[in-house]
Amino acid sequence: MSQRDNTQQEGATQVAPYRFALCVEYAGGNYRGWQIQPEHNVPTIQAEVEAALSKIANEPVSVVCAGRTDAGVSGTYQIIHFDTYAKRDVRGWVMGTNTKLPDDIAIKWAKPVDATFHARFSALERRYRYLIYSAKVKPAVLNKGVTWTYKSLNVDAMREAVQHLIGKHDFTSYRAVGCQAKSPVRDVREFNVYREGDLIVLDVRANAFLHHMIRNFAGVLMTIGAGEAEPVWAKEVLEAQDRRLGGVTAPPFGLYFVDVKYPAEYELPVSDLGPYFLSC
């Protein structure tokens, strides 16, 4: 009996498909974002992951992710789920799928979950890190892994500024004009700024994020860090509720999706945050 026949026979007796949660890590520099764009012939993370999983499952596989990332954005803890009638062990989903993926995408782990788990709607909060390389000379090795500025940035001023952004606010000024979210209100639960050598890290936790929200945070904070605006400007932009007053949107390079929290009942592996070259 062929593998396809075996899978179909199992599917005939299986009342409901198996559901798996997977953790995907990817370097986004070579992709036009997470989501498949059928109207455009462009490479996306989702397309690569679905194609690889479909080969291992020997049937079409569609995935749902915790948070769609933009072109150039990377992920160290992107959580997805998918349903399948194919019976494979965890090692098969991880090691097998990785043999079908390009070098800049990897499955970190897989775990069977019940039908109540949803990668997007079960998520309680999400976390991003934005890495700014502040040095006189541009980086070569991480040119698509950090955002470079030749300016010297004042981390203390940036720390003062982020205090105005913590809490539940209307973030209209910090979202893209074309953002499709129904509400601009988000709850920023923690926002830290710290330095590791020439790297400045913006580390943000929130219940959810708006389109370009982190990159617009970064644009404002880099302006403040460079001494071109006072820390209170972050508050003034917030209260204006007008994207036109929010300054430039920082580049996507250097933005990492690093964590998603789910109810403890699902017992998903804990994120090591990342990216791997940060010490904490």
Side-chain angles (χ1 to χ4, degrees):
M1 183 182 293
S2 70
Q3 184 182 42
R4 174 177 288 276
D5 291 338
N6 185 52
T7 299
Q8 290 175 337
Q9 182 175 348
E10 291 170 354
T13 58
Q14 176 78 12
V15 175
Y18 303 101
R19 177 164 291 189
F20 282 87
L22 275 69
C23 177
V24 188
E25 179 180 273
Y26 51 92
N30 295 323
Y31 299 92
R32 293 295 297 170
W34 169 268
Q35 188 174 15
I36 289 175
Q37 302 175 38
E39 69 278 12
H40 303 294
N41 185 24
V42 294
T44 67
I45 309 297
Q46 183 183 2
E48 295 287 352
V49 170
E50 288 187 349
L53 286 170
S54 297
K55 290 176 182 177
I56 300 304
N58 202 26
E59 65 181 18
V61 170
S62 298
V63 306
V64 176
C65 72
R68 294 176 296 186
T69 51
D70 290 339
V73 177
S74 299
T76 62
Y77 194 81
Q78 173 70 271
I79 304 301
I80 64 173
H81 83 258
F82 68 94
D83 295 332
T84 180
Y85 287 105
K87 190 174 182 180
R88 309 283 185 266
D89 61 20
V90 168
R91 187 177 188 278
W93 289 122
V94 176
M95 305 305 291
T97 305
N98 280 339
T99 66
K100 308 299 182 183
L101 288 169
D103 290 341
D104 50 7
I105 306 176
I107 305 300
K108 304 298 288 184
W109 52 256
K111 187 180 187 299
V113 291
D114 63 41
T116 66
F117 177 83
H118 193 284
R120 179 183 176 191
F121 297 127
S122 298
L124 303 175
E125 68 174 31
R126 296 156 177 85
R127 184 171 180 174
Y128 282 85
R129 284 175 166 176
Y130 190 89
L131 309 186
I132 304 164
Y133 184 73
S134 176
K136 294 295 185 183
V137 179
K138 68 178 183 178
V141 175
L142 288 177
N143 68 314
K144 289 187 176 181
V146 297
T147 281
W148 170 63
T149 178
Y150 66 88
K151 299 175 182 179
S152 178
L153 301 183
N154 183 332
V155 172
D156 289 336
M158 296 167 73
R159 287 196 188 108
E160 182 179 343
V162 301
Q163 301 310 307
H164 300 297
L165 303 175
I166 297 172
K168 191 172 184 179
H169 303 289
D170 180 326
F171 285 100
T172 295
S173 295
Y174 287 96
R175 71 168 175 171
V177 172
C179 178
Q180 297 179 356
K182 293 181 180 179
S183 171
V185 176
R186 293 295 185 269
D187 182 12
V188 174
R189 297 167 179 173
E190 186 177 15
F191 200 153
N192 294 311
V193 182
Y194 61 92
R195 182 188 294 273
E196 284 199 3
D198 289 329
L199 282 178
I200 296 172
V201 183
L202 311 182
D203 192 337
V204 194
R205 290 193 303 113
N207 66 322
F209 291 90
L210 300 162
H211 191 199
H212 287 176
M213 185 171 169
I214 302 293
R215 292 169 58 188
N216 289 331
F217 282 165
V220 165
L221 293 174
M222 290 171 70
T223 299
I224 291 170
E228 297 165 8
E230 294 299 317
V232 73
W233 184 52
K235 179 182 180 182
E236 293 168 351
V237 169
L238 178 70
E239 293 176 342
Q241 296 182 17
D242 186 341
R243 176 66 201 121
R244 294 171 297 178
L245 303 180
V248 301
T249 300
F253 308 120
L255 181 55
Y256 294 80
F257 188 20
V258 300
D259 197 13
V260 193
K261 296 297 184 188
Y262 293 97
E265 65 196 70
Y266 295 117
E267 298 181 333
L268 298 187
V270 176
S271 170
D272 58 6
L273 295 182
Y276 69 88
F277 50 83
L278 289 181
S279 63
C280 62

